[in-house]
Amino acid sequence: MAASGGGRRDPLAPSRIPCAFSPRGQHYFTLAGPDGHLRVWETASNRLHQDFVPSAHLSATCTCLAWAPPRSLAKEGPQRKKRKSEAVGTSDQVDLLAIGTAVGSILLYNTVKGELQSKLVSGGHDSKVNCIQWHQDNECLYSCSDDKHIVEWNTQTCRVKCKWKGDISSVSALCISPDGKMLLSAGRTIKLWDLETKEVYRHFTGHATAVSSLMFTTIRPPSESQPFDGITGLYFLSGAVHDRLLNVWQVRSENKEKNAVMSFTVTDEPVYIDLTLSENREEPVKLAVVCRDGQVHLFEHILNGCCKKPLTSNCTIQIATSGKDKESTPKPIPILAAAFCSDKQSLLLVYGSHLQPAIERVSLNSKEPHVCLIRDVNSWTPKIGGIAVTKVKTPVMNSEAKVLGPGIPGHHAAIKPTLETEKTESKRRVKENEQVSIEERLGAMDIDTLKEKRKGDLKADSYPVLLVQGLESNDCYMLNKVLQTRKDTLIRNTVLRIPVYAVIPLLNELTKRLQGHPNSAVLMVPWLKSVLTIHASYLSTLPDLVPQLGMLYQLMESRVKTLRKLSRLHGKLILLITQVAASEKTQGVPPPEQTAKLVYEEESSEEESDDEIMADKNSDENWEEDEEDRESKKDEDEDDEHEIDQDTENGEEKEMALEKEINGDSDLDPENESEEE
């Protein structure tokens, strides 16, 4: 069971190579290379069995593969009479291989005859085929595509039996239940369909990216006491693009539980998955997962309920070179696929190049958690029957043949030159006489290269590709071209579209550049911010994140410690700069023109002395006049008082005279009176 290359909608992500083992024994291994060739290898002898090139292999590249279930001679009856020579005493025939293409067509390839048997096109898909699944009766074929539809094909008539919409987005993976009555499909969510009514039976949610693989892990329910309807209680497995977790789901009778019951964790995105089915409750499920980093993770677990903590692998297998020859250090050899043998105690490993993969059977008796196999893969040239396959043809030369080259006498007969040939010859001679210096030639070459570079400006879509290539090849020119951009939207989109395996190398490159010149460090801060915010969920799942990002953490800590001092210094410098600028402005500005509202002019000293003398005289005269006025006022006051006193005395005299008249004292002499007075 292969996790075929479906469900991948990111054009910048590395394409998964479609490959698959033949069922029941894994006698053949087929692989669709990036060159468009379909190659079938014999697993026992590691020999290339067939090399098929479709007619439209360049425009309609292979996107997924699926071997047909083995046919039994008893079931086929009269249909197998046409191929009596092909059935040489075998009860099972593996001959059909379904190939999905990028244009929506499906090819049926006959591996026995080595030719294309039929093509499924009419009424099918309008876009790339993501996954193909054969039904158990071998007459039905199910396919899904980016056009959001699921198609049921009749392989005998090569026509569409049924077509329905599977999701609101592209459908990326399919899987048929063990009893053949249900179909699992994956788009944005995982759906379980009833094949008779074409209605959704259950929904499952849990993956954030496109699901790339689906397969059932059990064929019997965990509880045998309850009646079994063929689907309730079964477990199935799902893996997604850019996801390091494989989720396990259980089909339950109630429709409340939609989440995964457990999960398996791996080091990188899974590209090929194979497992052994559990036939009873006590039998564990064995799982082999090939990751993008070239390692194989082996799991063995009994599915008996929910498990919150992700399960780690029991054993990890890796292949590397010895490094004894010219290479100073061993190099890893990528593992392309892995499958359990029929005894379930050994594993078939396919590793090396896509053109000439090496196939080896490895026993699983080791109890070590990590196994590294040392292999030397020297020649990767494909061979058919022991003869190397190559497109370079060496011509068969006769020893008596005479080879003539240009410039040798007798190579061509003398021809009378025409007028045009004479003109061209004269021009050529003039050019030869005008010798150009080496410096001028190099300058012309530099100009040409600059023109080519200006023509090939970078586009926004090419930034993620260039960034990944630069990180893998450690190309400084390519990395500078990408990392020196200042546009925030371009930086965010680039970080968003890079694959997850490039996140840690990008962080290491940013850390190295942050330690360099301050100008380059300023450019790296937006990149670092985007990586930490967008890929925070992926970074949190890494077990060895602390040692990998230790240098970056120390760098950030040292920068943060000096931030307060730098901010204070920055504030003081701003105050000084503003004061200096203000003083320069005031010095350079001329004073404004003002007109006086009142003008006071002082006279000479002589005039001032005369005025003072006159003022003193006037003041003295005024002082004398004031004194005279005061004395006159005083005399008048005294006269008034004297008159008042006289009046009072006269009044008193009259009163006394009256009293005397009354009392008879009128005989007094006036002389006495005068004396008394």
Side-chain angles (χ1 to χ4, degrees), residues 630-646:
R630 288 175 185 174
E631 288 179 357
S632 62
K633 285 182 180 181
K634 189 175 182 181
D635 293 338
E636 288 177 359
D637 292 337
E638 288 178 356
D639 293 339
D640 292 337
E641 289 178 358
H642 183 68
E643 289 178 358
I644 292 169
D645 292 338
Q646 286 181 358

Side-chain angles (χ1 to χ4, degrees), residues 64-250:
C64 55
L65 294 171
W67 285 89
R71 295 183 180 181
S72 176
L73 291 176
K75 291 182 180 179
E76 293 198 9
Q79 294 181 0
R80 296 294 292 175
K81 291 181 180 179
K82 298 179 182 179
R83 291 184 284 180
K84 285 183 179 179
S85 59
E86 300 170 6
V88 188
T90 58
S91 60
D92 292 336
Q93 293 293 322
V94 180
D95 54 1
L96 280 183
L97 183 65
I99 306 169
T101 62
V103 296
S105 60
I106 298 175
L107 309 178
L108 297 182
Y109 177 70
N110 193 318
T111 57
V112 176
K113 293 183 178 181
E115 62 183 17
L116 190 65
Q117 179 171 309
S118 57
K119 187 176 182 180
L120 311 178
V121 180
S122 60
H125 297 292
D126 300 330
S127 185
K128 182 184 72 172
V129 180
N130 291 326
C131 186
I132 297 174
Q133 283 288 321
W134 289 84
H135 200 271
Q136 281 82 342
D137 61 3
N138 204 18
E139 293 182 0
C140 252
L141 184 71
Y142 293 90
S143 62
C144 62
S145 171
D146 282 347
D147 60 3
K148 310 175 186 179
H149 286 83
I150 302 173
V151 178
E152 181 181 2
W153 301 87
N154 188 339
T155 57
Q156 300 296 328
T157 60
C158 299
R159 293 183 179 181
V160 176
K161 291 180 64 177
C162 184
K163 181 179 180 180
W164 72 95
K165 188 174 182 180
D167 208 314
I168 59 175
S169 61
S170 63
V171 185
S172 55
L174 295 175
C175 183
I176 299 176
S177 62
D179 61 350
K181 297 180 180 179
M182 294 288 181
L183 176 70
L184 279 172
S185 71
R188 287 192 174 182
T189 60
I190 301 175
K191 298 179 181 180
L192 183 63
W193 300 85
D194 188 349
L195 290 178
E196 292 183 1
T197 60
K198 304 298 186 294
E199 294 180 356
V200 179
Y201 180 71
R202 289 285 184 273
H203 282 274
F204 304 93
T205 57
H207 286 291
T209 55
V211 177
S212 58
S213 57
L214 285 172
M215 55 189 68
F216 279 90
T217 59
T218 55
I219 59 176
R220 292 285 186 271
S223 178
E224 298 180 358
S225 59
Q226 299 178 357
F228 180 52
D229 58 356
I231 191 65
T232 303
L234 296 185
Y235 292 90
F236 67 91
L237 182 77
S238 67
V241 176
H242 301 326
D243 195 349
R244 300 189 306 109
L245 291 178
L246 296 172
N247 291 337
V248 179
W249 316 77
Q250 186 178 18

Side-chain angles (χ1 to χ4, degrees), residues 1 215 237 246 266 270 272-276 285-291 295-300 337-340 347-349 364:
M1 292 184 179
M215 55 189 68
L237 182 77
L246 296 172
V266 291
Y272 194 95
I273 302 174
D274 189 49
L275 54 84
T276 60
V285 174
K286 292 185 178 181
L287 184 65
V289 183
V290 180
C291 297
Q295 301 183 42
V296 178
H297 299 276
L298 302 178
F299 299 87
E300 186 174 353
F340 287 100
L347 194 68
L348 274 176
L349 294 180
L364 302 177

Side-chain angles (χ1 to χ4, degrees), residues 405-447:
I408 300 176
H411 180 63
H412 55 78
I415 301 173
K416 186 178 180 179
T418 59
L419 183 61
E420 294 180 357
T421 56
E422 288 180 356
K423 289 181 179 180
T424 55
E425 284 290 328
S426 61
K427 289 181 180 179
R428 185 180 60 80
R429 289 170 185 172
V430 170
K431 290 181 180 178
E432 288 178 356
N433 293 329
E434 297 176 356
Q435 294 182 357
V436 183
S437 63
I438 297 176
E439 184 178 359
E440 293 177 355
R441 293 178 183 177
L442 292 175
M445 291 172 62
D446 293 338
I447 292 171

